[in-house]
Amino acid sequence: MNMQPKPNVLAPPMPKSLAETGLSMVMMRDILLKTMFRMNMSLVSDLARAVSLSVPLTQELIDIARGQKLVEATGTLHAGSSSEMGYQLTDSGKSRALDALSQSEYYGAMPVPLADYGQQMKRQSVRDIKLTRDQLVGAMGHLILPPDLLGHLGPAVTSGRSILLYGPPGNGKSSISNGIRAAMGDKIYIPRAIEYSGQVITVYDPIVHSAAEEQTDDPNSLRRTGNRFDNRYVYCERPTVITGGELTLDMLDLKYNPVARTYQAPLQLKASGGIFIVDDLGRQAEPPQKLVNRWIVPLEESRDILALQSGEKFTVPFDTLVIFSTNFHPNEIFDGAALRRIFFKIKVDGPTQEMFLRIFAMVARKKGMPLNEGALLHLLKTKYPTINNIFANYQPVFLIDQMMAICDFEGLPYQMTPDLIDRAWANMFVKDEKIAK
């Protein structure tokens, strides 16, 4: 099925001067010195890549540091690097680098000022995504879903507002959440780090952010321009952060490393421009009501409030599609006020018998398990009545994997029999019985 092309996200423009970076000259100089000291770099082309500035701007920074007697030319040309001049820290430069490192161990890519980051988030807002039914079907075609479910999901995703998926366990709520991310399909620009009040907060996380291919400066090129966008950003897939029962409220705060004296962005900031999935809501140590209360301002005002070690609070953009997923009924874990804050409530039910058989046949075909009518009738007529004919999407995979494991152990070709169904079924549920002590 053809999916409509996505509009291109506007890229952050490359700074044409050091002033256009929005950073103080002292901060940029110190980051340069720390990078030279920690990474033992001497070539401008290497340093440009490390600090994520263009070669001309990096050279300008070097020249400023030279004027302050912090950097000196080595007096040697590097033939293998297009005859680049090498540079090194002077004794004063090393002293300044160590002093700067004692204040903050951060070095490498120049950060992006918080205000500039906010402007970029407006250019790539998750709320500007308009998904069509074809795009959702294309991303979730591997799932067999109730026919009306996409009709509920589509408007929810297109709105960019919060979503609560609820229903019995094992029916694909997590797969649906991942399918929503796949349907977005476009890429955005994630800052390597942002700067606020002289403090650097690292944002780009290779575990969370999937980087696209990068263009880098060619040292042999006369026009060293590097990426066609600000190199302080990484061009990435829209991020997806998934957290479950391990989620605690402090994971939504800035992380401060007291040894390195650096900050790391909280989960929701790393998810900016993408999706934050809170799976298994109700299984966390924190009550669901308390977790949702933490999200009230971000969900309603599209901004979040973070705090530095000093206690100073500041506002960051909150541009994230939040998806809560729970096996509990919403009325069991929320009061009416909390439920009002979650814009869309979508129930994900288990499959009908017809859908269950379609899923079972699809899974069997993919796994190379031949279907057997007698075994299926035994499953439907003998086993499912014992659980009131309650079907779940996870069950076909579970039962077929169990039968395949038994066949492997017994040295049998893959097959489906009533006896194997019984043995597989026995592992799907635990009898409600007391264990003698």
Side-chain angles (χ1 to χ4, degrees), residues 39-78:
M39 300 184 73
N40 195 29
M41 287 182 171
S42 60
L43 300 181
V44 177
S45 57
D46 291 337
L47 281 164
R49 281 188 284 270
V51 301
S52 298
L53 293 179
S54 67
V55 168
L57 294 191
T58 306
Q59 182 66 63
E60 191 175 337
L61 265 183
I62 289 281
D63 292 341
I64 290 170
R66 286 182 74 188
Q68 297 172 354
K69 310 297 186 185
L70 300 172
V71 170
E72 62 186 3
T74 60
T76 57
L77 295 177
H78 295 255

Side-chain angles (χ1 to χ4, degrees), residues 59 65 96 101 106 115 138 141 169 171 194 199 249 255 277 286 293 331 349 356 375 380 400 416-417 420 428 435:
Q59 182 66 63
R96 178 57 207 162
L101 284 165
Y106 183 85
N171 285 308
I194 56 178
Q199 301 297 317
L249 283 173
K255 286 184 181 178
I277 299 171
E286 312 277 1
N293 286 345
N331 292 338
D349 270 322
F356 171 84
L380 296 176
I400 290 169
M416 195 178 293
T417 67
L420 288 174
M428 195 157 66
I435 299 175

